[in-house]
Amino acid sequence: MKAFIRDAVVAVTAVSAALALTACGPNTATGPGRDNADDAPTIAVLLPDAITARWETQDGPLLEEKIKKLCEECTVEHANAKGEVALQQQQMDSMISKGVDAILLVAVDGRSLAASVRKADEAGIPVIAYDRLAGGPIAGHVSFDGEQVGRLQGTSLLQGMASRAPDDQIVMMNGDPSDPNAALFKKGALSVLTGRVKIGKSYDTHQWRAEVAHMNMTGAIAALGAGNIDGVYAANDSLAAGSISALRANKVAPIPPVTGQDAELAAVRRIVAGRQYMTVYKPFAPEAASGAALAVAAARGENLGKVAEDTVTARDGTKIAAVMLTPLAVTADNIKDTLVKDGVYTVRQICAPGLWAACGKAGLT
Ligand code: GAL
């Protein structure tokens, strides 16, 4: 919290400040980025873009809710970098000069943000790498096993293509190479697909944009021939959407199996309708819960080992306290037992008019 606001608040609400400190526990006054002993913690939540739905529709609101639950008096400062590295660097600078107590960062570009992470660390502000492991001195990390995500996608794709010929050809739509997860997804997928199918074309997708995937798939269809694409490895649901729209625009029928990731509502509907084969569901609530717990503990200057039992190794060899969660493959068969059961979507939300018959078939009634 800024000093001038802080002074006013403290003067007016001395009693509630005292209560808040008690609620926050004995370590509250000693948080690393704290500029005053009776200051309620401020946590910055820095999201990467509004291109992929999950950040603003799932992670943002869940993080805010879970931070408030753990620390009622905490203030959350939320910013979105709109896919721009320079804007995220500015947002990091601004949070550092505000003197926030912890930063929860989903880096637009893992390498380019390392210098900002270092600046925050030097200012005594711990940075939690949420979902993507940015470079620099990261205090804590929560994510899913990215290679396992890729293996789930690759394995499901082979299952979806099982009835096809052995010389099947696929197109790969990989994520943005500046996202550290994209290489992990690709590596995991290739570990399953290499030698099992022919990879006709493989693209990396700037900013995970559906329209870039659409353009690349249009090129792949022109180069390989509409009838020669037997499966599409799409690293997430935006890339699945772009690939499928290009296949449909080029009258490819039936649509070959297409993978995805993020369990977006539109993707779940495509899966029910038989237009997308699968998605990877990385449960949002536990990821946000761990992200919030790490950020609150970091803001209070507590040991993150209490929240995070695992560790991951940074590029420079340092061990980082981490929570690593398990991703799940979702096809039409298990939407009910996963996404509906966890309350991510109701059957009503998924089963838009026009999907009722397909929903019945998928057991979504
Ligand atoms: C990854 C993330 C995925 C997906 C993608 C695109 O880092 O793990 O869930 O959303 O970014 O934003």
Side-chain angles (χ1 to χ4, degrees), residues 49 52 54-55 131-132 179 181 185 208 236 261-262 282:
D49 58 67
T52 301
R54 61 168 290 184
W55 306 121
D131 200 83
R132 299 177 180 172
D179 171 348
N181 288 338
F185 303 148
W208 294 91
N236 84 349
Q261 173 181 193
D262 287 340
K282 301 190 293 188

Side-chain angles (χ1 to χ4, degrees), residues 137-219:
I138 292 291
H141 179 47
V142 55
S143 196
F144 291 79
D145 178 343
E147 286 187 35
Q148 176 61 5
V149 170
R151 285 193 291 272
L152 288 175
Q153 293 169 320
T155 308
S156 288
L157 184 59
L158 292 179
Q159 273 161 14
M161 291 166 62
S163 58
R164 295 177 175 240
D167 60 343
D168 281 347
Q169 170 160 266
I170 66 160
V171 173
M172 288 187 86
M173 293 293 169
N174 305 294
D176 187 333
S178 54
D179 171 348
N181 288 338
L184 301 174
F185 303 148
K186 189 173 177 177
K187 187 174 172 201
L190 284 173
S191 75
V192 175
L193 296 170
T194 306
R196 308 282 299 275
V197 288
K198 183 171 171 218
I199 299 166
K201 289 272 172 199
S202 179
Y203 303 91
D204 290 335
T205 318
H206 180 58
Q207 292 188 331
W208 294 91
R209 284 185 179 276
E211 59 273 28
V212 176
H214 180 102
M215 190 187 76
N216 287 335
M217 183 53 80
T218 306

Side-chain angles (χ1 to χ4, degrees), residues 44-58:
V45 172
L46 301 188
L47 299 180
D49 58 67
I51 300 162
T52 301
R54 61 168 290 184
W55 306 121
E56 289 296 346
T57 63
Q58 303 281 349

